[in-house]
Amino acid sequence: MAVTPSSLFALALSRHRQPWNWSLHAAALVLFGLALFAHGYLLLAASLILLGAGFFELDLPAPPENWWFGLARRGVEWEKNWSAAPWNRVKWSRLLGALLLAGVLVWGLWVRELAALGLLFGFAVLVWVMRRNREDGIDP
């Protein structure tokens, strides 16, 4: 049986969409951010190891019902819905906006620019407050 890149990608994507693997990838992102901030090569290696481990078949029990795995399940569902959506102007603009914010975050972590990191954190809090207000029926 021939292994194609698309079949490997499909296998990695199906393994990534499990709560334990998704959790490993989230931990790898946190370690990557710490590696950028501390300029630490060991942290970078640890984040790459965690990222790679997240693509393996993990023989772990079913995840417990707590807030983290609830967040992981919602994140996996959001990711499935986002990847199934058609490529239109809204999806492209959200992708480019997320890439721009990620680029500013990486830059801010690398140069240790606390003002930029504070502004990004404040922006994230404001978005969270806006979403909570809309869920509670308050329209600004």
Side-chain angles (χ1 to χ4, degrees), residues 21-38:
N21 298 48
W22 202 83
S23 299
L24 280 177
H25 288 162
L29 280 176
V30 169
L31 275 179
F32 182 70
L34 287 173
L36 286 174
F37 190 75

Side-chain angles (χ1 to χ4, degrees), residues 34-67:
L34 287 173
L36 286 174
F37 190 75
H39 297 256
Y41 296 109
L42 290 177
L43 287 172
L44 177 65
S47 71
L48 291 177
I49 289 170
L50 275 180
L51 182 71
F55 289 114
F56 284 104
E57 185 70 37
L58 303 175
D59 292 328
L60 297 172
E65 293 295 326
N66 57 23
W67 70 271

Side-chain angles (χ1 to χ4, degrees), residues 9-130:
F9 181 73
L11 179 65
L13 192 60
S14 70
R15 288 184 178 166
H16 164 71
R17 289 183 175 165
Q18 297 172 6
W20 283 110
N21 298 48
W22 202 83
S23 299
L24 280 177
H25 288 162
L29 280 176
V30 169
L31 275 179
F32 182 70
L34 287 173
L36 286 174
F37 190 75
H39 297 256
Y41 296 109
L42 290 177
L43 287 172
L44 177 65
S47 71
L48 291 177
I49 289 170
L50 275 180
L51 182 71
F55 289 114
F56 284 104
E57 185 70 37
L58 303 175
D59 292 328
L60 297 172
E65 293 295 326
N66 57 23
W67 70 271
W68 172 255
F69 286 108
L71 176 69
R73 286 184 190 93
R74 286 194 309 273
V76 167
E77 284 303 314
W78 179 85
E79 184 180 315
K80 285 180 185 177
N81 294 337
W82 186 84
S83 63
W87 284 96
N88 54 17
R89 185 180 309 207
V90 174
K91 189 172 180 178
W92 275 108
S93 64
R94 287 183 181 169
L95 176 67
L96 292 176
L99 288 175
L100 178 69
L101 284 174
V104 170
L105 180 63
V106 165
W107 171 80
L109 286 170
W110 182 255
V111 298
R112 299 176 183 145
E113 183 64 42
L114 295 180
L117 295 174
L119 284 174
L120 286 174
F121 180 74
F123 177 70
V125 169
L126 286 177
V127 168
W128 178 76
V129 167
M130 182 189 70

